[in-house]
Amino acid sequence: MVITIHETLLPADDAEAALAFYRDGLGFELRRDVEYGGMHWLTLGHPDQPDTGLVLYPPAATPGLTEDDQRAVAELMAKGTFASINLATDDLDAAFARLEAVDAAEVVQEPTEQPYGVRDCSFRDPAGTLVRIQERR
């Protein structure tokens, strides 16, 4: 039996800004745009990885959240402490330059050689999610 990572969910409270970040900044393709009640669930992924994707979801639509919960989630997202994801690339400098050119991308850390043997950079997406990109070696 093989179990693989198929999709992961990240919060997105502005579908257009999220799409610009992940499509224009990271080169992901839009696979599905599901609209319901004025909210969007966007599924994106890299063209070379058709079986792996990101689902950007409106956190306000999470079942079971009270208004207090929604307010707490919104506060954590605003601080950039609610969600994170680690990505990898063969060309960190090119990925950094491409993402840095997107208006919705906030640079957190420029490409850096870490003392633990990793070279990486990081951004916050429009919803505050920390996106770390690691260089494959």
Side-chain angles (χ1 to χ4, degrees), residues 37-135:
M39 296 183 284
H40 290 261
W41 286 254
L42 304 175
T43 302
L44 300 106
H46 194 276
D48 292 340
Q49 293 185 304
D51 296 328
T52 305
L54 297 176
V55 179
L56 304 176
Y57 73 98
T62 303
L65 286 185
T66 65
E67 287 184 25
D68 286 343
D69 294 337
Q70 290 180 16
R71 196 172 16 262
V73 167
E75 289 172 7
L76 292 172
M77 288 172 62
K79 290 182 188 177
T81 57
F82 186 68
S84 63
I85 188 168
N86 290 353
L87 305 174
T89 182
D90 292 335
D91 190 341
L92 185 63
D93 294 316
F96 181 83
R98 181 176 174 158
L99 199 46
E100 188 180 33
V102 173
D103 286 340
E106 175 190 341
V107 176
V108 175
Q109 174 205 300
E110 295 190 8
T112 302
E113 190 71 40
Q114 301 292 353
Y116 43 87
V118 169
R119 184 168 184 262
D120 64 1
C121 67
S122 60
F123 289 85
R124 289 208 191 284
D125 79 2
T129 296
L130 182 64
V131 178
R132 296 195 74 80
I133 305 173
Q134 190 175 90
E135 189 168 64

